[in-house]
Amino acid sequence: MNDVAIQSESRASAGDVLSSHWTLLPLAEVEALVARIYGLSGSVTRLSSERDETFKFVAATDDAYVLKIANPVEDPASLAFQDGALMHLEATAPDVPVPRLIPTLQGVCGHDLPVAGGAIRKVRLLSYLDGDLLYRLPASSARNHDLGRVLAVLGRGLAGFQGRPPAGKLLWDISHTLDLADLVGHVGGERQPFVRGVLDAFAREIPPVAGSLPHQIIHNDFNPYNILVDATSPLEIAGIIDFGDMVFAPRVNDLAVALAYHLATDDWQDLAGAILRGYSTVTRLEADEVHVLPVLIKARVAMSIIISEWRAASRPDNKDYILRNHHAAWQGLQRLSGLSASDLERFVSSNCEG
């Protein structure tokens, strides 16, 4: 997931899934749970996660899986939406490298686990995608070309998905960038003028054309922590994980999210240009998408700064995790701010022509 996925109160009707606390299940209890629900014996290893309990489960057959046990206040409709997207991709776009849901012994895609207080935690088992997380690898223009291609392939696969996210707004949705205006006061003084400038540009440029942009369900979190690279072919993308931030939005927003994570180095134009060229081999951007993409990229970077500084102030116990992408986001915003709007649009257009 992105720096920190955060929901507004209207989207998380049962409470903020990131602010709630729950008792971690003992590993032995988790292993017994998998055996009872899925008929699989094996061992689990806990993986880091802020939103739920996540484990790698290795069965006695040596097959590996990812086990997710949801936060007690997680919206069941949100999980059903994610499951629907994964099942849609499996049925209609099987070449898209995403996890597959494993059915329970009852043939369903998950299990409701009652816990103390009458709450329910959703248990889901997914296939394990092997590979190296992209953020751990040195940057590569060749790999970024494949990254852009895979993002476009994923977008095409999701375009036919008719599911809709739960009611309410996800703050990590670029479409709702202006909702963050009240949080800008949490941003450090040096960064505030840059962030406010982005919100002003968004207010000028996006509303007039938003309705004309192609809309669909998008992944909305295509960042290097959610992308796996093939260890044997290190220039190829092997997997896409974490569908917890999906929204119905302009499809170009997904490209803006992806590009926002490749701006922090001196060769950012080579890296970002490669993503655009790879994306364009599958999906050609419309003129309005080319025009708004620079503003959307800036908006995503500004969101990262605003939300992470706000969350770090309210969750000092998890500050290091929350701010892990903050420095790169600030560098990226400074680099983008060094170019005029027309220069940025020409950069996007020139890399989408091929």
Side-chain angles (χ1 to χ4, degrees):
M1 181 154 307
N2 196 353
D3 301 334
V4 177
I6 178 170
Q7 293 176 306
S8 67
E9 291 182 3
S10 58
R11 179 76 175 261
S13 57
D16 186 340
V17 296
L18 296 174
S19 297
S20 64
H21 299 277
W22 65 95
T23 301
L24 298 180
L25 296 174
L27 297 185
E29 185 175 330
V30 174
E31 292 168 356
L33 185 67
V34 175
R36 177 165 58 86
I37 297 172
Y38 293 95
L40 297 171
S41 60
S43 60
V44 296
T45 303
R46 191 180 298 277
L47 304 176
S48 62
S49 176
E50 187 178 29
R51 194 184 188 96
D52 53 27
E53 284 192 79
T54 302
F55 307 86
K56 181 178 181 181
F57 175 78
V58 180
T61 58
D62 288 334
D63 294 317
Y65 304 88
V66 172
L67 178 71
K68 286 185 168 289
I69 304 178
N71 187 314
V73 301
E74 183 71 74
D75 183 2
S78 178
L79 296 179
F81 173 56
Q82 296 173 44
D83 292 348
L86 292 177
M87 289 187 288
H88 171 81
L89 290 171
E90 182 175 9
T92 65
D95 292 338
V96 179
V98 298
R100 306 301 182 198
L101 285 162
I102 307 301
T104 68
L105 290 173
Q106 279 66 48
V108 294
C109 62
H111 172 79
D112 290 340
L113 177 67
V115 294
I120 297 293
R121 301 185 65 184
K122 194 76 172 181
V123 180
R124 297 145 73 224
L125 189 68
L126 303 102
S127 60
Y128 181 83
L129 299 180
D130 201 9
D132 298 321
L133 284 169
L134 179 58
Y135 83 92
R136 293 174 176 159
L137 302 176
S140 164
S141 294
R143 186 191 303 117
N144 273 17
H145 188 279
D146 195 51
L147 183 70
R149 180 193 65 80
V150 170
L151 174 60
V153 170
L154 171 63
R156 282 200 172 182
L158 288 174
F161 178 45
Q162 297 301 309
R164 287 295 179 267
K169 298 177 182 179
L170 185 76
L171 288 189
W172 278 111
D173 181 351
I174 299 176
S175 298
H176 303 299
T177 295
L178 297 180
D179 290 350
L180 301 179
D182 290 341
L183 302 180
V184 173
H186 294 273
V187 177
E190 178 189 12
R191 295 175 293 281
Q192 274 201 31
F194 288 83
V195 169
R196 293 189 187 279
V198 172
L199 268 60
D200 290 343
F202 190 99
R204 287 194 310 271
E205 300 290 338
I206 303 303
V209 299
S212 67
L213 300 173
H215 281 61
Q216 64 170 74
I217 299 298
I218 63 172
H219 182 271
N220 196 45
D221 201 9
F222 207 77
N223 76 75
Y225 289 81
N226 290 335
I227 308 298
L228 296 169
V229 176
D230 190 332
T232 61
S233 300
L235 298 183
E236 296 181 8
I237 303 305
I240 308 161
I241 58 176
D242 201 337
F243 285 70
D245 277 4
M246 287 188 302
V247 292
F248 182 78
R251 69 177 180 185
V252 70
N253 287 17
D254 237 356
L255 187 53
V257 172
L259 290 164
Y261 288 89
H262 299 267
L263 307 174
T265 58
D266 290 339
D267 58 347
W268 71 269
Q269 293 192 40
D270 290 335
L271 296 172
I275 293 174
L276 289 166
R277 292 190 297 274
Y279 187 93
S280 298
T281 62
V282 176
T283 299
R284 296 301 298 271
L285 294 180
E286 296 182 2
D288 281 345
E289 292 178 301
V290 171
H291 174 66
V292 300
L293 183 54
V295 179
L296 296 173
I297 300 169
K298 285 185 177 181
R300 180 64 180 203
V301 176
M303 289 175 71
S304 184
I305 293 170
I306 296 168
I307 294 174
S308 62
E309 293 197 34
W310 171 50
R311 289 296 293 183
S314 63
R315 292 287 302 275
D317 59 309
N318 207 24
K319 182 177 179 180
D320 290 344
Y321 176 82
I322 292 171
L323 294 176
R324 72 187 190 278
N325 289 325
H326 181 272
H327 179 67
W330 173 227
Q331 284 187 311
L333 185 55
Q334 289 176 294
R335 293 179 189 280
L336 293 177
S337 299
L339 296 177
S340 68
S342 58
D343 285 341
L344 283 172
E345 186 170 343
R346 279 194 295 271
F347 169 75
V348 171
S349 178
S350 64
N351 282 287
C352 293
E353 291 174 351

